[in-house]
């Protein structure tokens, strides 16, 4: 039997309700593989690697690891938005030094498009420097934008099913409010995440698959102007007396003074003005077809950390992808991402496989144009059939002590530092 090598798992980008379920799958599965030694969590992603902050996950209690299923977001090991850019040679060299110093033979990177790119770059760098390192990607993103539009690389990403479930319930309850308050507030505008892709706002249709609500959905891809939106809303008001509008944060209403993160992505929740407020203002200024005013509701990061709405299907699949990633790593299959693919047939069923990292690194799926309704403000039944199985049929039961949710709390047991202090290149002034 060969020498055991240690494993580092890192997370990057925005969290999801089920990201810790993948982490749990990795920790628990790695214990059963003789080739894998200690499992470390890079504290706040690749920044933790650069700073040599490696949390010993093998030293944590089994109960705390199991509770990861019910612990949202990424607080247990942290995430980051630090991008390893091609010119940052010192950062790349530092990663190799850290891995050598701590006998790291496996890197599992949980994340979206950019994270898969980082994992791919590190895999290539390790090979170039003669480091025996197996790098495997573990997909996650609430946007469901990793992969290709034909769904051949991955059917859906963990995190999306739970956010879709969140919006299914949110629109149901918003409809109850709108029914009651419509004499004074006939229009309710709800803003959903989704910078450039419409999977999240599209999930609002799951609240009303039979199209009984006066619901209009505007994706970032919706072929519609602000003026046309107002006309659509007024037509709905004339028919129904009220209207619920779900709109993507990426819907084009003109310049909002967007804030960019280190990956160059627009961070709408950090902007001074929201798309929702711009739409509400426009509707009220141009006038509604009935008396009353439009109101708005902007959901924030709660979309990705509301554990009460987490899909049990999503949690199970995230766990299985973590397991699959360990299986690939232990088999020495470097340069791949663990993936989930839907089997054909009317009954929902999936299988777990692998795809080359270069094919998914910096990939960006688009929302299928034929899933957007011809009126431009709805989605088709094909989307409903795709998304509904991902949300599950039961509400998650959360562990509670004295009325408060019981969450994972790891002990701060870190690997002993062996190298000198280091400041990541992008953080230097």
């Amino acid at each position: 039997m060969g020498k055991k090598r240690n494993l580092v798992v890192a997370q990057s980008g925005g969290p999801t309700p089920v990201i810790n379920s993948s982490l749990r799958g990795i920790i628990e599965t790695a214990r059963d593989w003789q080739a894998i030694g200690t499992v470390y969590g890079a504290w706040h992603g690749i920044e933790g690697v650069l700073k040599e902050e490696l949390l010993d996950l093998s030293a944590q209690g089994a109960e705390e690891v199991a509770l990861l299923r019910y612990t949202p977001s990424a607080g247990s090991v942290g995430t980051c938005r630090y991008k390893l850019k091609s010119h940052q040679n010192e950062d790349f060299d530092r990663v190799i030094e850290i891995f050598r110093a701590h006998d790291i033979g496996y890197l599992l990177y949980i994340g979206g498009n950019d994270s898969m790119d980082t994992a791919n770059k590190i895999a290539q760098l390790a090979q170039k420097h003669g480091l025996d390192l197996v790098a495997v990607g573990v997909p996650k993103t609430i946007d469901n934008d990793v992969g290709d539009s034909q769904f051949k690389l991955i059917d859906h990403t963990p995190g999306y099913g739970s956010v879709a479930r969140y919006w299914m319930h949110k629109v149901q309850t918003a409809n109850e409010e709108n029914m009651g308050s419509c004499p004074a507030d006939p229009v309710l505008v709800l803003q959903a995440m989704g910078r450039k892709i419409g999977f999240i706002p599209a999930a609002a249709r799951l609240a009303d698959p039979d199209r009984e609500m006066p619901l209009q959905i505007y994706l970032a891809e919706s072929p519609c102007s602000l003026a046309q939106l107002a006309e659509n809303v007024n037509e709905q008001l004339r028919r129904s007396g009220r209207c619920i509008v779900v709109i993507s944060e990426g819907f084009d209403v003109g310049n909002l003074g967007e804030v960019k993160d280190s990956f160059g992505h627009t961070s709408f929740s950090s902007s001074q003005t929201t798309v929702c407020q711009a739409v509400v203002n426009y509707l009220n200024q141009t006038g509604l077809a009935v008396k009353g005013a439009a109101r708005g509701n902007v959901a924030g990061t709660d979309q990705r950390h509301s554990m009460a709405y987490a899909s049990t299907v999503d949690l199970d699949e995230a766990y299985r992808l973590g397991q699959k990633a360990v299986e690939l790593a232990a088999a020495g299959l470097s340069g791949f991402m663990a993936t989930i693919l839907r089997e054909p047939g009317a009954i929902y069923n999936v299988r777990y496989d692998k795809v080359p990292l270069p094919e998914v690194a910096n990939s960006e799926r688009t929302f299928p144009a034929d899933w957007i309704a011809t009126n431009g403000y709805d989605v088709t039944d094909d989307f409903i059939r795709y998304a509904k199985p991902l949300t599950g049929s039961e509400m998650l039961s959360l562990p509670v002590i004295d009325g408060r949710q019981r969450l994972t709390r790891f002990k701060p047991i870190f690997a002993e530092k062996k190298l000198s202090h280091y400041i990541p290149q992008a953080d230097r002034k």
Side-chain angles (χ1 to χ4, degrees):
M1 183 176 64
K3 177 186 174 184
K4 286 189 175 185
R5 305 288 304 284
N6 300 325
L7 183 152
V8 164
V9 54
Q11 300 176 350
S12 179
T16 80
V18 304
I19 191 171
N20 283 329
S21 200
S22 289
L23 177 62
R24 178 191 171 207
I26 291 168
I27 298 170
E28 292 183 344
T29 305
R31 292 171 177 167
D32 297 329
W33 289 89
Q34 294 296 319
I36 299 175
T38 301
V39 176
Y40 293 113
W43 191 242
H44 293 291
I46 198 65
E47 289 189 74
V49 174
L50 294 170
K51 296 176 181 179
E52 201 176 2
E53 296 174 347
L54 304 178
L55 182 67
D56 190 338
L57 298 177
S58 295
Q60 308 298 329
E63 180 180 358
E64 300 304 316
V65 173
L67 282 167
L68 286 169
R69 177 177 174 86
Y70 308 100
T71 302
S73 197
S76 298
V77 297
T79 185
C80 71
R81 291 192 180 276
Y82 189 91
K83 185 175 179 66
L84 285 177
K85 299 180 180 178
S86 57
H87 67 276
Q88 293 170 203
N89 295 326
E90 291 181 38
D91 278 353
F92 281 108
D93 290 342
R94 172 72 171 186
V95 170
I96 298 301
E97 289 176 3
I98 293 293
F99 286 172
R100 280 205 171 105
H102 293 273
D103 196 20
I104 304 300
Y106 309 94
L107 170 66
L108 269 57
Y109 214 119
I110 305 174
N113 322 71
D114 295 300
S115 302
M116 296 306 105
D117 179 55
T118 297
N120 185 46
K121 286 177 179 176
I122 293 175
Q124 293 175 345
L125 184 70
Q127 185 178 33
K128 178 181 177 181
H129 285 260
L131 178 67
D132 184 14
L133 178 74
V134 176
V136 176
V138 187
K140 72 89 202 164
T141 173
I142 62 171
D143 294 307
N144 200 33
D145 60 350
V146 172
D148 60 314
S149 298
Q150 290 74 43
F151 305 92
K152 293 180 179 179
L153 293 175
I154 184 169
D155 182 77
H156 57 278
T157 45
Y160 175 65
S162 293
V163 175
R165 186 178 181 86
Y166 170 97
W167 275 99
M168 179 170 65
H169 287 273
K170 186 175 183 67
V171 171
Q172 279 188 287
T173 53
N175 182 59
E176 294 299 305
E177 175 182 326
N178 187 244
M179 280 196 296
S181 63
C182 62
D185 307 315
V187 178
L188 179 59
V189 181
L190 307 173
Q191 179 177 305
M193 283 182 165
R195 290 185 297 258
K196 294 188 294 183
I197 191 167
F199 279 100
I200 297 176
R205 179 47 66 197
L206 298 176
D208 180 35
D210 296 327
R211 295 176 171 80
E212 297 171 338
M213 297 179 188
L215 173 64
Q216 297 185 2
I217 302 169
Y218 294 88
L219 316 181
E221 303 92 336
S222 293
C224 180
S225 66
L226 196 54
Q228 182 63 54
L229 182 150
E231 184 176 329
N232 296 340
V233 169
N234 276 322
E235 287 180 1
Q236 187 76 59
L237 291 175
R238 295 184 189 101
R239 293 194 305 271
S240 310
R242 64 189 186 95
C243 183
I244 300 170
V245 175
V246 176
I247 193 161
S248 168
E249 65 181 1
F251 184 82
D252 185 9
V253 295
N255 184 20
L256 294 173
E258 295 93 341
V259 175
K260 302 288 186 179
D261 64 18
S262 61
F263 292 104
H265 299 152
T266 300
S267 180
F268 286 98
S269 59
S270 300
S271 301
Q272 293 181 348
T273 305
T274 64
V275 167
C276 174
Q277 193 60 58
V279 171
V280 168
N281 292 346
Y282 187 86
L283 290 173
N284 288 332
Q285 288 165 4
T286 56
L288 301 180
V290 299
K291 70 174 185 177
R295 289 186 178 271
N297 189 318
V298 180
T301 57
D302 56 314
Q303 297 169 72
R304 62 192 191 197
H305 67 229
S306 292
M307 204 65 204
Y309 295 110
S311 160
T312 54
V313 171
D314 201 15
L315 285 163
D316 291 343
E317 291 179 347
Y319 183 87
R320 290 292 304 277
L321 276 170
Q323 288 185 310
K324 182 65 177 180
V326 173
E327 178 185 313
L328 294 173
L333 296 172
S334 185
F336 289 93
M337 182 188 80
T339 192
I340 181 170
L341 299 170
R342 191 177 308 214
E343 298 283 22
I347 299 174
Y348 178 72
N349 191 27
V350 299
R351 62 184 173 89
Y352 301 89
D353 209 326
K354 66 182 186 299
V355 293
L357 278 174
E359 292 187 28
V360 291
N362 288 319
S363 65
E364 194 163 49
R365 170 183 287 162
T366 56
F367 192 87
D370 57 0
W371 284 1
I372 301 176
T374 54
N375 61 21
Y377 56 84
D378 202 350
V379 291
T380 66
D381 288 346
D382 285 337
F383 168 78
I384 296 174
R385 284 188 285 270
Y386 166 80
K388 184 61 179 74
L390 312 182
T391 63
S393 58
E394 300 176 355
M395 296 296 287
L396 181 66
S397 179
L398 299 173
V400 173
I401 297 177
D402 195 26
R404 299 175 67 241
Q405 186 180 340
R406 173 71 164 91
L407 302 169
T408 292
R409 286 295 176 263
F410 284 150
K411 296 178 181 178
I413 305 172
F414 287 84
E416 180 183 353
K417 292 191 176 183
K418 301 180 180 182
L419 301 177
S420 58
H421 177 71
Y422 182 82
I423 300 176
Q425 280 184 265
D427 294 342
R428 299 172 193 173
K429 295 183 180 180

